[in-house]
Amino acid sequence: MSGARKPAARLGPQLCAHALHYLLFAYRGRQLLRRRPSLGGPRRPTFGVPGDDVALTIDDGPHPRWTAPMLDLLDRHGVRATFFLVGDRVREHPELAREVLAAGHLIGNHSMTHPQPFAALARHEITAEIDRTQREIEDATGHTPRLFRAPGGNWSPGVLRTTAELGLVPVDWTVNPSDWRSPGVDRIARTLSRTRPGQIMLCHDGGGDRSQTVAALAEVLPRLTDRGLRFVTVPDDR
């Protein structure tokens, strides 16, 4: 009997995490329709930024092929972004993490190994994923992140509680072009072009071929700045 229970015990957290994923998907849809997305709270993710600014966030790096072109693009357009870095990739490419910080961007924590579904992990595993990444980023850059984004945005009460206990601000997003799927430059650009004041954009420089993301942002960044939108980093002092 005990052997029969083990697969079910493992399946429970997985099912809960997947259910939370779809609930959060619906909640993000409501945030997208709101005039102003929620700024979050002590144990609630932030979906937006104050005022009429917008925030560009870049996940899953640093990447030896795509982080440098992303930095060059942002520099050409005078855009500051928030990079959510994966600890294992910081360990492999600490010089790229330093370049992100030196270019004036903000660095956040995006877990050590990017496990999914993140909310299915045990509490001690969640703590280790976040804490180890803090140390890798600190060792590489001297900077201590204050922001955390769960892999896949897979939040749960346990993930949010752990994030708060570690003194970090949980950050989600409002505008998601699903660029990690490589759906085409036009589709990515079309979604990002709809960004409104107060919203947080989600893009990626790691996890695969990000040529479409770089090309789409090359179109979108001047388009948004021409509309009078100003890019800021996600506030880390909540």
Side-chain angles (χ1 to χ4, degrees):
M1 290 295 291
S2 60
R5 288 194 189 102
K6 287 180 181 178
R10 288 195 297 269
L11 187 59
Q14 295 277 339
L15 288 174
C16 288
H18 284 297
L20 284 167
H21 171 79
Y22 289 109
L23 286 171
L24 284 161
F25 183 83
Y27 188 73
R28 289 186 192 103
R30 291 199 296 272
Q31 292 290 324
L32 185 62
L33 295 174
R34 289 179 58 168
R35 183 174 179 274
R36 294 288 180 180
S38 169
L39 300 182
R43 293 190 179 180
R44 289 182 292 117
T46 180
F47 291 87
V49 294
D52 293 331
D53 301 321
V54 296
L56 172 63
T57 61
I58 311 290
D59 285 14
D60 293 358
H63 191 281
R65 174 65 182 88
W66 299 110
T67 299
M70 184 69 74
L71 291 174
D72 289 344
L73 175 66
L74 298 176
D75 181 62
R76 287 200 302 273
H77 293 283
V79 169
R80 292 182 67 209
T82 304
F83 283 73
F84 286 94
L85 304 185
V86 174
D88 271 352
R89 290 159 201 169
V90 172
R91 178 182 291 173
E92 293 170 359
H93 306 287
E95 74 288 350
L96 291 177
R98 289 190 288 271
E99 287 180 25
V100 169
L101 194 64
H105 305 289
L106 189 63
I107 289 177
N109 182 322
H110 197 37
S111 82
M112 189 67 192
T113 63
H114 204 281
Q116 292 182 284
F118 192 69
L121 300 182
R123 283 288 300 280
H124 73 276
E125 294 173 316
I126 294 169
T127 300
E129 282 283 335
I130 300 173
D131 190 53
R132 289 169 60 205
T133 308
Q134 290 289 96
R135 294 199 300 271
E136 290 293 340
I137 293 173
E138 289 168 356
D139 289 347
T141 69
H143 171 73
T144 301
R146 289 276 295 114
L147 305 175
F148 173 70
R149 173 173 281 163
N154 196 211
W155 304 104
S156 69
V159 173
L160 291 168
R161 186 161 54 248
T162 303
T163 302
E165 289 170 355
L166 293 172
L168 299 175
V169 176
V171 180
D172 206 88
W173 60 81
T174 333
V175 181
N176 179 11
S178 296
D179 63 311
W180 62 275
R181 297 179 184 270
S182 297
V185 174
D186 289 346
R187 182 171 176 179
I188 297 170
R190 187 164 57 250
T191 300
L192 294 175
S193 295
R194 301 189 188 113
T195 302
R196 303 192 309 274
Q199 295 186 331
I200 296 175
M201 306 157 65
L202 170 65
C203 287
H204 298 78
D205 66 337
D209 182 343
R210 298 299 170 230
S211 56
Q212 293 183 9
T213 304
V214 174
L217 283 171
E219 296 180 17
V220 169
L221 295 181
R223 196 177 298 169
L224 295 180
T225 53
D226 286 348
R227 282 170 41 196
L229 294 176
R230 185 173 73 108
F231 286 87
V232 297
T233 55
V234 177
D236 63 352
D237 56 355
R238 193 175 77 193

